[in-house]
């Protein structure tokens, strides 16, 4: 292979590898882990990572290409504000995880309080021909005679869920990817521009970098989701602990980033300090 032909290939491989490496940044991994922690299917978890990568790619390409091609300068306060948005998203993901646990606990308490002479009345959402409605029914408690009890599976297939409810994790992942891409686009573009001054090659490298990020996040989410899947099938208490731990980690790391950006880097003062990295 001639050296002239090897240079573009080397740039492409470097962009792909660094994009996959970029997917392992702590704030990326923590955010996606919190989102996929409730998934019970490996394919669905991997899809969440890919969708996150697509959202990340969209803002990185739009903002990064604008910086590279038009030499746009990002003010320090705006750069810090974009990074502060990541901290806010992490905190919200942690709060959302805690709220989900509280709702589950409240649901169990209401179910136990609705017992009447060994019977439990509740309802499940079902969808028929695209119409979602509730079916109320009665359960006999486990301690009753099994011959009189009606047993059925409470699992609702994903295809019977309302469309928005089924896609909510994907939409959340895409939105989080957008915010992360917005925060990192300036630093990535400036780094690429310093190494590859030609706008065309720099933009092409940026696109390959984004493809590597999508692939890397898909692989990472698959690896992270595996213990969650195993725990959900073999030890529900362990799975619940992993879900709780991921939420607490997201909340704590978000607070740390907010303090670092808002106080240490002086986002809210007259002289903000921003070093894209």
């Amino acid at each position: 292979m001639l050296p002239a032909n090897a240079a573009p290939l080397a740039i492409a491989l470097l962009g792909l590898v660094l994009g996959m490496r970029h997917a392992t940044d702590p704030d990326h991994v923590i955010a996606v882990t919190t989102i996929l922690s409730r998934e019970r299917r490996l394919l669905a978890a991997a899809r969440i990572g890919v969708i996150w990568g697509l959202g990340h790619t969209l803002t990185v390409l739009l903002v990064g290409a604008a910086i590279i091609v038009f030499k746009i300068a990002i003010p320090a306060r705006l750069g810090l504000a974009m990074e502060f948005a990541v901290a806010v998203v992490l905190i919200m993901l942690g709060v959302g995880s805690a709220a989900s646990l509280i709702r589950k606990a409240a649901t169990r308490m209401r179910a136990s309080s609705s017992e009447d002479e060994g019977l439990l009345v509740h309802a499940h959402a079902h969808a028929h021909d695209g119409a979602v409605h509730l079916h109320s029914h009665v359960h006999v408690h486990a301690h009753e005679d099994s011959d009189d009890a009606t047993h059925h599976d409470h699992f609702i297939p994903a295809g019977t869920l309302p469309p928005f409810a089924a896609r909510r994790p994907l939409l959340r992942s895409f939105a989080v990817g957008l915010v992360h891409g917005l925060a990192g686009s300036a630093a990535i573009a400036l780094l690429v521009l310093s190494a590859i001054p030609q706008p065309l090659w720099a933009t092409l490298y940026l696109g390959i970098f984004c493809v590597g990020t999508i692939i890397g996040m898909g692989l990472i989410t698959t690896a992270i989701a595996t213990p969650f899947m195993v725990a959900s099938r073999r030890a529900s208490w362990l799975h619940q602990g992993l879900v709780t731990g991921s939420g607490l980690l997201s909340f704590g790391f978000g607070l740390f980033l907010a303090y670092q950006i808002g106080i240490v880097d002086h986002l809210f003062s007259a002289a903000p300090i921003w070093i894209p990295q």
Side-chain angles (χ1 to χ4, degrees):
M1 182 179 294
L2 296 176
N5 296 328
L9 179 59
I11 291 175
L13 290 176
L14 181 62
L16 191 65
V17 171
L18 291 182
M20 296 176 68
R21 161 62 184 82
H22 179 67
T24 64
D25 285 355
D27 55 331
H28 300 167
V29 175
I30 291 173
V32 174
T33 300
T34 307
I35 297 172
L36 65 81
S37 60
R38 299 181 187 90
E39 291 294 333
R40 296 177 181 271
R41 293 174 299 152
L42 204 58
L43 182 60
R47 192 182 300 125
I48 285 175
V50 172
I51 293 298
W52 181 97
L54 290 174
H56 185 277
T57 293
L58 181 60
T59 46
V60 167
L61 281 179
L62 290 178
V63 179
I67 294 173
I68 291 173
V69 175
F70 300 107
K71 313 296 184 184
I72 296 175
I74 303 294
R77 194 178 302 279
L78 178 58
L80 284 176
M82 292 190 296
E83 293 183 2
F84 190 81
V86 173
V88 173
V89 167
L90 289 173
I91 293 173
M92 291 176 62
L93 288 174
V95 171
S97 180
S100 177
L101 292 175
I102 293 174
R103 284 195 299 269
K104 288 182 180 180
T107 301
R108 291 175 182 175
M109 291 177 63
R110 286 197 300 269
S112 61
S113 64
S114 65
E115 296 176 1
D116 182 23
E117 296 182 357
L119 297 179
L120 179 64
V121 181
H122 64 174
H124 292 296
H126 297 268
H128 299 289
D129 299 326
V132 180
H133 57 278
L134 296 175
H135 287 305
S136 299
H137 51 274
V138 178
H139 286 275
V140 179
H141 282 229
H143 64 270
E144 298 293 328
D145 186 356
S146 60
D147 293 335
D148 298 328
T150 301
H151 299 282
H152 65 274
D153 191 0
H154 282 81
F155 176 73
I156 303 176
T160 64
L161 291 174
F164 179 77
R167 297 171 185 170
R168 187 178 299 165
L170 297 179
L171 294 174
R172 186 186 299 120
S173 180
F174 184 77
V176 172
L178 285 175
V179 175
H180 278 80
L182 186 65
S185 57
I188 295 170
L190 292 174
L191 178 64
V192 172
L193 189 59
S194 64
I196 309 173
Q198 295 87 356
L200 179 61
W201 283 107
T203 305
L204 179 60
Y205 173 90
L206 194 64
I208 297 172
F209 179 92
C210 290
V211 172
T213 302
I214 295 174
I215 296 174
M217 188 54 70
L219 295 175
I220 288 171
T221 51
T222 302
I224 294 174
T226 301
F228 282 92
M229 305 298 107
V230 174
S232 67
R233 294 167 184 168
R234 299 187 179 181
S236 59
W237 62 269
L238 179 58
H239 178 258
Q240 193 61 57
L242 292 173
V243 173
T244 303
S246 65
L248 292 175
L249 181 61
S250 179
F251 183 78
F253 194 73
L255 287 179
F256 169 76
L257 282 183
Y259 172 80
Q260 185 71 27
I261 297 169
I263 305 301
V264 178
D265 295 336
H266 305 288
L267 170 61
F268 304 110
S269 68
I273 304 171
W274 181 55
I275 303 176
Q277 55 185 356

